Structures are given as structure tokens and as C-alpha cells.
Amino acid sequence: SYNAFVNNLDEKGKSKYPDKQNRKPPQHINHDCKSSRTCNIKWGGLGCSELYKFHTIEERINHLKALRLCYRCGQKFHGPFPDGKGTWCVWSPDLQAVKCTPITGEQCNFSAAICN
């Protein structure tokens, strides 16, 4: 369950995080996954029906980041990942349904919702 207003701008409208200038503008999120019949709370952020209203991978990643969730597995954020630091995602049996399973048989460490 969450009701959050995400705002990463200071009083002058500049990003509080200069290295993250390319992120989408803040958004108001008013949704309760626990009471929603369309969400699967066992999947964390990846089970939220609101996530799948976004059409692009970038929008979905930004949505998960705005909620401070891991954009790979949908659980509480445990990165940062771009520089290789952070802990790996733990793909519990509950999360296997949303994990990417490439046709090539290779292993993927991303959710199907954000994988190419």
C-alpha cells in the first residue's frame, strides 16, 4: 500500500540529483496494491497493475525507481547497479513468474517487465 508524491526538484525547479537529470518528471501515485484485485503483492512492485500501464521500459524503470524499488526484481531497492555495486536480486520462488526467461536459454537477472 502506498500513497506517495515523488518530487526530486529543489525550490528553483532544478534536480536535487544532478546525475539523474534525464529522469521523467515527478508523478503522483495514489494506488493501494493490497486492496486492488488486479495486483499480486507477492511480486512486490512487479505485481502492481499500475506498472503495466506504462508503455515503455524506461517509464516502468522510472516508476519503480520513484517508488524506491529495485527496477530489476521489484523489491526494496538494494543497488546502485550501474557501477556494479549493490547486492544481487534474490529471485524467490514467488518471483519466478515475473523473471525474464530468454528464448536462448541464457540466464537473465531482470524482470520480464523491463527486459528487452
Side-chain angles (χ1 to χ4, degrees), residues 39-45 47 75 92 94-95:
C39 297
N40 184 338
I41 58 172
K42 291 181 181 178
W43 296 346
Q75 303 303 306
S92 69
D94 287 337
L95 292 176

Side-chain angles (χ1 to χ4, degrees), residues 2-116:
Y2 55 85
N3 184 1
F5 181 75
V6 181
N7 188 352
N8 292 329
L9 304 177
D10 64 15
E11 299 81 31
K12 296 179 184 176
K14 301 276 185 184
S15 175
K16 293 178 185 175
Y17 311 100
D19 58 324
K20 299 177 183 177
Q21 292 284 348
N22 60 345
R23 286 203 182 159
K24 297 284 183 198
Q27 54 190 328
H28 184 254
I29 302 159
N30 189 5
H31 175 73
D32 183 7
C33 286
K34 290 181 181 176
S35 65
S36 173
R37 295 175 58 195
T38 59
C39 297
N40 184 338
I41 58 172
K42 291 181 181 178
W43 296 346
L46 299 176
C48 178
S49 59
E50 295 295 306
L51 178 68
Y52 301 96
K53 291 181 180 180
F54 295 104
H55 298 286
T56 67
I57 291 171
E58 181 183 1
E59 289 173 324
R60 291 177 181 181
I61 288 173
N62 286 334
H63 176 74
L64 290 168
K65 285 181 177 180
L67 295 174
R68 294 188 175 146
L69 298 174
C70 174
Y71 59 89
R72 292 181 178 179
C73 68
Q75 303 303 306
K76 184 179 174 185
F77 187 69
H78 50 93
F81 300 113
D83 62 0
K85 295 181 182 176
T87 58
W88 289 101
C89 298
V90 177
W91 292 95
S92 69
D94 287 337
L95 292 176
Q96 290 303 314
V98 291
K99 187 175 180 184
C100 176
T101 52
I103 298 170
T104 60
E106 298 173 12
Q107 185 161 347
C108 181
N109 288 317
F110 293 93
S111 69
I114 61 121
C115 196
N116 294 345

